[in-house]
Amino acid sequence: PSMEGNVTLASLFIVKASVKYGSRIVDGKSILGVLSLASFKTVEVIFHSVTDCIAQLDELFELAS
């Protein structure tokens, strides 16, 4: 899926997603935030959750790849 598709997909899950490049961290569910890092080749995606959501994350990784 496209970057916009991945942002939309991430917004469906009960997790907080952050995208990090260097010291810059943006909300992974914000299209504008993610697009601000789009020029970087490698970014780190961080998922935060207060519940056990392994099944949701597995589904997200499967759809995003």
Side-chain angles (χ1 to χ4, degrees), residues 6 8-17 29 45 47-65:
N6 287 340
T8 302
L9 183 62
S11 69
L12 300 175
F13 293 91
I14 308 170
V15 296
K16 179 180 177 192
K29 294 184 179 183
V45 179
F47 293 98
H48 313 271
S49 177
V50 294
T51 62
D52 182 16
C53 59
I54 298 300
Q56 287 183 328
L57 289 176
D58 286 343
E59 185 179 345
L60 178 63
F61 292 141
E62 172 117 2
L63 292 172
S65 59

Side-chain angles (χ1 to χ4, degrees), residues 2-24:
S2 67
M3 184 178 301
E4 182 177 328
N6 287 340
V7 170
T8 302
L9 183 62
S11 69
L12 300 175
F13 293 91
I14 308 170
V15 296
K16 179 180 177 192
S18 300
V19 179
K20 178 181 177 189
Y21 178 80
S23 62
R24 294 183 61 192

Side-chain angles (χ1 to χ4, degrees), residues 30-57:
S30 163
I31 292 173
L32 290 176
V34 172
L35 287 176
S36 73
L37 299 179
S39 63
F40 300 108
K41 295 196 182 274
T42 304
V43 295
E44 181 179 350
V45 179
I46 305 163
F47 293 98
H48 313 271
S49 177
V50 294
T51 62
D52 182 16
C53 59
I54 298 300
Q56 287 183 328
L57 289 176

